[in-house]
Amino acid sequence: MTERETTTTVTERPVEPVHTHTTVIERKSGGGSGIMMALLLLIVVVGGFFAWQFLQQGEVRTDAVAGAANEVGDAAQKVGDAAQDAAQKIGE
């Protein structure tokens, strides 16, 4: 069997304040906001493209309606001319 010897030494001294130091390390990640900005920009660009296409189709429709109105106007003019010619022949 082995014997152990323990010695305790008590020293009387004034109690000193214990100084502690705490280091806080914070990690900041800015990568998430950059990705969000890129996605937002992509959505705006794609939305703008589709809006431009929609406006272009609206212009085509407007042109088609204007063309049809001109054709109706021309036909009405021809009907008016024919009615005038018929009236003149009746009057003769």
Side-chain angles (χ1 to χ4, degrees):
M1 199 165 173
T2 339
E3 286 187 38
R4 287 194 216 172
E5 185 178 336
T6 306
T7 307
T8 304
T9 308
V10 177
T11 308
E12 303 236 352
R13 60 183 181 160
V15 178
E16 296 176 7
V18 178
H19 295 285
T20 59
H21 179 78
T22 304
T23 303
V24 177
I25 300 173
E26 294 181 15
R27 291 186 179 177
K28 295 182 180 182
S29 66
S33 62
I35 291 172
M36 292 300 289
M37 291 298 289
L39 285 174
L40 181 63
L41 180 64
L42 179 66
I43 289 169
V44 167
V45 168
V46 170
F49 174 76
F50 283 115
W52 180 258
Q53 292 298 320
F54 179 74
L55 290 174
Q56 292 291 346
Q57 289 176 357
E59 289 177 12
V60 169
R61 290 180 189 153
T62 302
D63 291 343
V65 169
N70 284 337
E71 289 177 11
V72 169
D74 291 343
Q77 181 69 39
K78 288 179 183 179
V79 168
D81 291 343
Q84 190 174 15
D85 288 344
Q88 286 178 355
K89 287 182 183 178
I90 292 176
E92 292 178 355

